[in-house]
């Protein structure tokens, strides 16, 4: 059969949040590796975050383009320059942010109609409902990219159906019904959609759920071998085609790809100082601590994390967001001479960390994460044990996957989720003593800890196989392209 894929054009419309945008660029690369043309929609202030990665991909021969649309921040009531979820000034701004994202429809359609080769498919973030209408207008399938895994879907689905969490008090553990594993959660740990306490974003959430139900297929960042039973269930419940093509981060092989990935200020020279520091540390000795890209934890909470790391016996690399968001924490760091105190044993990264490079560094021994789905998969790929410190959304469920199902993690024991955007009102959910204990447990030389380390390596091996040529995820990307070609005959 002749290879017509060079004429096949996919258009990707990501939700502008680092946790969505970054894997979408990975998806673009995965598709382009199969010789299709891929365009990624971006906005002026998001482009720098992904441009180096795209430029590098293009230099390597991949056919990826950036399509830039003005982001109507001000028209939607946001401050000028607020183009990404990580720059939202407050929780109230989430509504405006989604309004602005919806306003992209008209300019996008104008751009879309002139694109060459004529696009065959739109892949959008699951929350961008308007892309359904656009795809119908241009008679192409609209697939959505689900930023979460299938285990978390199964848990939330089970709770939606059983409502068991409504029968218990806030901190009373209950077993999630009808799962393949015995999973215990509390109501305080559940995603906001299941938590009757937070109703301000109900409209936003309802729209997202409605948009999810209309789709010509779903792309999931997971791999068959990781959560097989739950993927089967996901496919049955969704009743549409599902392609599991992850972990998508595995497509970043070179140092340049890893260091530029998602970085809003890509470095001009390749070596990040934290990597030089890591080079000076003992193998598998360092705990890498990063709580994601949109973490708004209060300074009081972050100080607990810092003190917990300090009082553990391990060297640590600690990422703090930097800038305005970390002003109070920064003040504490200076006043307490935290860096001097931990000099040699601790290293602080302010702003963006090259996460993939750190995770794959031989000195890194464990990953303390908030259990965002991307970070979870990246930790898995690196074959390192995970110290789980979930904060919100489905992160407590991902924690259970890591600790109870996969057996490669230690929990910090966070008792309650914080409400995103108003974290300071959530009280103290992370305690220094708990951080210290979890770090020590993960790093110790016990049989139990060794077993976790072995498990982590085993799972990483599975992920490597899945993404290698002829692996399950590789074949899934091929199937996705084939399905789109068959469906669009122009
Ligand atoms: N990330 C990074 N450096 C940072 C912070 C985050 O590279 O300093 C990347 C991380 O590798 C992951 C993404 O940003 O790919 C965060 O996504 P995740 O789903 O883990 O969490 P979110 O930020 O959406 O809460």
């Amino acid at each position: 059969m002749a290879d017509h894929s060079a004429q096949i054009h996919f258009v990707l419309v990501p939700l502008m949040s680092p946790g969505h945008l970054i894997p979408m660029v990975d998806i673009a690369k995965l598709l382009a590796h199969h010789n299709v043309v891929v365009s990624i929609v971006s906005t002026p202030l998001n482009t720098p975050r992904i441009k180096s990665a795209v430029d590098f991909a293009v230099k390597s021969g991949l056919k990826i383009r950036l399509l830039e649309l003005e982001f109507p921040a001000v028209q939607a009531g946001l401050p000028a320059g607020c183009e990404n979820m990580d720059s939202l000034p407050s929780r109230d701004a989430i509504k405006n942010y989604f309004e602005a994202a919806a306003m992209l429809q008209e300019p996008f359609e104008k751009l879309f109609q002139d694109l060459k080769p004529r696009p065959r498919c739109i892949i959008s973030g699951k929350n961008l409902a308007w892309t359904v209408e656009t795809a119908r207008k241009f008679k192409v399938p609209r697939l959505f990219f689900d930023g979460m895994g299938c285990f978390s879907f199964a848990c939330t689905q089970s709770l939606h159906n059983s409502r068991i969490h409504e029968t218990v008090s806030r901190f009373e553990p209950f077993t999630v019904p009808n799962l393949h594993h015995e999973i215990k959660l509390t109501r305080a740990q559940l995603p906001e959609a299941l938590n009757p306490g937070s109703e301000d974003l109900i409209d936003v959430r309802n729209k997202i759920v409605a948009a999810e139900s209309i789709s010509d297929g779903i792309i999931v960042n997971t791999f068959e071998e990781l959560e097989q039973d739950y993927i089967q269930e996901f496919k049955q419940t969704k009743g549409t085609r599902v392609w599991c093509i992850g972990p998508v981060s595995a497509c970043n092989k070179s140092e340049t790809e890893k260091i530029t990935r998602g970085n809003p200020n890509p470095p001009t020279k390749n070596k990040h100082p934290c990597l030089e520091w890591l080079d000076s540390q003992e193998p598998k000795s360092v705990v890498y601590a990063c709580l994601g890209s949109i973490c708004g934890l209060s300074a009081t909470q972050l100080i607990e994390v810092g003190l917990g790391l300090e009082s553990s016996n391990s060297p640590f690399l600690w990422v703090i967001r930097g800038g305005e968001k970390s002003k109070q924490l920064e003040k504490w760091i200076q006043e307490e001479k935290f860096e001097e105190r931990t000099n040699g044993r601790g290293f602080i990264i302010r702003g963006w960390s090259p996460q993939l490079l750190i995770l794959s560094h031989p000195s890194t021994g464990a990953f303390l994460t908030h259990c965002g789905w991307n970070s979870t998969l990246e930790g898995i790929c690196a074959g390192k044990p995970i110290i789980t410190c979930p904060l919100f959304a489905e992160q407590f469920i991902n924690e259970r996957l890591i600790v109870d199902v996969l057996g490669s993690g230690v929990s910090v024991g966070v008792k309650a989720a914080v409400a995103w955007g108003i974290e300071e009102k959530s009280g103290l959910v992370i305690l220094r003593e708990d951080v210290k204990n979890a770090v020590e447990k993960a790093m110790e030389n016990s049989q139990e800890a060794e077993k976790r380390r072995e498990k982590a390596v085993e799972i990483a091996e599975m992920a490597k196989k899945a993404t290698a040529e002829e692996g399950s995820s590789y074949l899934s990307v091929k199937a996705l392209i084939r399905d789109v070609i068959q469906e669009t005959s122009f």
Side-chain angles (χ1 to χ4, degrees):
M1 201 172 88
D3 178 14
H4 298 298
S5 47
Q7 290 306 309
I8 306 301
H9 186 181
F10 280 66
V11 178
L12 273 48
V13 193
L15 179 76
M16 303 297 165
S17 172
H20 287 260
L21 192 54
I22 295 170
M24 275 292 228
V25 174
D26 290 340
I27 293 173
K29 287 163 68 172
L30 285 170
L31 291 167
H33 274 298
H34 290 269
N35 205 25
V36 301
V37 180
V38 187
S39 296
I40 309 170
V41 173
S42 178
T43 72
L45 293 180
N46 281 296
T47 298
R49 197 186 272 280
I50 59 176
K51 191 168 180 323
S52 314
V54 170
D55 286 349
F56 186 78
V58 170
K59 254 194 225 151
S60 332
L62 301 182
K63 296 186 206 89
I64 304 183
R65 308 167 186 165
L66 282 176
L67 302 176
E68 206 164 76
L69 296 176
E70 287 301 321
F71 193 77
V74 178
Q75 290 97 303
L78 292 168
C82 182
E83 297 190 4
N84 192 300
M85 292 203 50
D86 70 346
S87 56
L88 292 185
S90 68
R91 182 179 169 95
D92 293 342
I94 297 177
K95 279 185 192 156
N96 307 66
Y97 177 79
F98 277 101
E99 270 167 41
M103 287 171 163
L104 291 176
Q105 179 171 2
E106 204 189 311
F108 174 71
E109 289 181 359
K110 276 197 187 125
L111 198 79
F112 191 91
Q113 65 192 2
D114 296 326
L115 290 176
K116 301 268 175 323
R118 183 176 162 192
R120 299 270 199 133
C121 178
I122 295 175
I123 302 176
S124 90
K126 70 173 168 186
N127 359 38
L128 300 173
W130 58 266
T131 54
V132 174
E133 213 178 285
T134 305
R136 298 290 174 268
K137 218 179 261 179
F138 292 96
K139 299 190 170 45
V140 295
R142 178 266 193 180
L143 317 178
F144 75 70
F145 166 56
D146 193 310
M148 300 199 259
C150 293
F151 173 77
S152 68
F153 171 80
C155 284
T156 45
Q157 190 67 15
S158 162
L159 298 180
H160 273 300
N161 294 338
S162 68
R163 312 307 299 179
I164 188 165
H165 56 292
E166 290 174 3
T167 65
V168 292
S169 60
R170 203 159 170 251
F171 292 102
E172 187 186 335
F174 61 85
T175 302
V176 182
N178 303 319
L179 292 185
H180 302 275
H181 297 84
E182 160 101 8
I183 298 298
K184 284 197 186 310
L185 289 165
T186 66
R187 193 152 65 73
Q189 298 174 323
L190 296 181
E192 286 194 26
L194 288 160
N195 241 335
S198 56
E199 298 199 333
D200 58 329
L201 293 178
I202 218 148
D203 284 353
V204 174
R205 270 199 299 272
N206 286 346
K207 277 188 193 151
I208 292 175
V209 173
E212 272 185 52
S213 61
I214 329 165
S215 162
D216 300 314
I218 309 172
I219 296 171
V220 192
N221 187 9
T222 188
F223 57 107
E224 294 282 345
E225 297 77 2
L226 183 73
E227 33 175 20
Q228 210 150 31
D229 296 333
Y230 299 103
I231 291 173
Q232 280 318 318
E233 197 176 322
F234 184 82
K235 287 179 181 170
Q236 274 163 16
T237 315
K238 292 290 183 183
T240 182
R241 292 166 304 179
V242 173
W243 302 275
C244 297
I245 64 166
V248 297
S249 62
C251 72
N252 297 286
K253 310 271 188 226
S254 70
E255 282 223 355
T256 312
E257 283 170 296
K258 290 180 186 174
I259 201 150
T260 52
R261 184 172 182 262
N263 194 337
N265 304 300
T268 41
K269 60 172 194 161
N270 252 2
K271 196 99 175 167
H272 191 289
C274 75
L275 298 167
E276 274 161 19
W277 181 81
L278 272 176
D279 289 344
S280 71
Q281 301 296 315
E282 294 293 319
K284 295 188 184 165
S285 66
V286 175
V287 175
Y288 165 61
C290 178
L291 298 177
S293 63
I294 52 172
C295 160
L297 276 188
S298 65
T300 324
Q301 276 291 237
L302 291 167
I303 290 168
E304 290 292 310
V305 175
L307 290 173
L309 289 170
E310 182 187 21
S311 57
S312 77
N313 279 322
S314 297
F316 61 88
L317 243 183
W318 181 27
V319 186
I320 63 173
R321 285 185 65 193
E324 195 57 34
K325 305 246 178 214
S326 298
K327 232 173 155 178
Q328 262 183 294
L329 174 66
E330 197 59 67
K331 191 164 166 265
W332 176 84
I333 290 173
Q334 304 306 332
E335 281 171 7
E336 292 292 316
K337 301 199 182 332
F338 183 77
E339 283 173 289
E340 290 83 336
R341 250 165 47 190
T342 55
N343 187 23
R345 195 165 70 77
F347 190 103
I348 296 182
I349 300 176
R350 292 169 168 85
W352 197 253
S353 83
Q355 181 149 304
L356 294 187
L357 275 182
I358 295 171
L359 285 173
S360 59
H361 195 285
S363 300
T364 303
F367 178 22
L368 188 150
T369 169
H370 70 313
C371 306
W373 186 237
N374 295 295
S375 295
T376 299
L377 286 174
E378 290 158 20
I380 282 173
C381 274
K384 306 282 158 82
I386 297 176
I387 302 165
T388 57
C389 186
L391 301 174
F392 55 88
E394 92 294 12
Q395 295 161 9
F396 287 84
I397 303 178
N398 296 340
E399 168 178 65
R400 299 275 55 96
L401 175 74
I402 297 163
V403 177
D404 300 337
V405 179
L406 303 177
S408 63
V410 178
S411 165
V412 164
V414 182
K415 298 279 183 299
V418 296
W420 187 76
I422 43 168
E423 288 88 344
E424 71 286 354
K425 296 202 176 132
S426 308
L428 217 53
V429 296
I430 307 173
L431 304 174
R432 65 188 84 168
E433 197 59 22
D434 293 342
V435 173
K436 171 185 182 276
N437 290 341
V439 169
E440 284 178 355
K441 204 166 157 196
M443 302 302 282
E444 70 192 9
N445 278 326
S446 65
Q447 242 182 7
E448 210 191 325
E450 195 47 44
K451 205 165 143 207
R452 272 192 296 269
R453 285 191 272 272
E454 281 167 12
K455 202 75 208 161
V457 171
E458 204 181 292
I459 304 162
E461 218 25 68
M462 280 173 9
K464 202 167 158 192
K465 280 200 187 123
T467 49
E469 225 168 288
E470 305 308 315
S472 60
S473 292
Y474 175 92
L475 293 175
S476 221
V477 177
K478 272 178 98 161
L480 158 64
I481 296 169
R482 188 197 56 219
D483 290 353
V484 168
I485 293 176
Q486 279 172 1
E487 203 166 317
T488 48
S489 51
F490 48 81

